[in-house]
């Protein structure tokens, strides 16, 4: 590890961009897609909702 392990502004900016531009949208798509897949498979096995 480096002598000075204090994070620099550049490192913080890169981490923020990674989280805000890459990770958050990818996680959102994965959660919504996963939920839709669960609903789809449930309806495939149990049939459509009746009401």
């Amino acid at each position: 590890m480096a002598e000075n392990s204090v994070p620099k502004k550049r490192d913080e900016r890169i981490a923020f961009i990674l989280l805000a531009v890459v990770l958050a949208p990818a996680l959102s798509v994965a959660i919504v897609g996963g939920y839709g897949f669960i609903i789809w498979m449930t309806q495939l096995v149990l049939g459509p909702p009746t009401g």
Side-chain angles (χ1 to χ4, degrees):
M1 189 170 257
E3 297 171 4
N4 189 3
S5 62
V6 177
K8 296 186 169 88
K9 287 280 189 185
R10 182 176 182 273
D11 296 335
E12 291 179 2
R13 191 172 294 128
I14 289 172
F16 173 75
I17 289 172
L18 179 68
L19 289 172
V21 176
V22 177
L23 196 60
L27 193 58
S28 299
V29 168
I31 290 171
V32 173
Y35 181 71
F37 183 77
I38 289 170
I39 297 298
W40 179 41
M41 283 295 122
T42 303
Q43 290 183 359
L44 192 67
V45 172
L46 302 176
T50 56

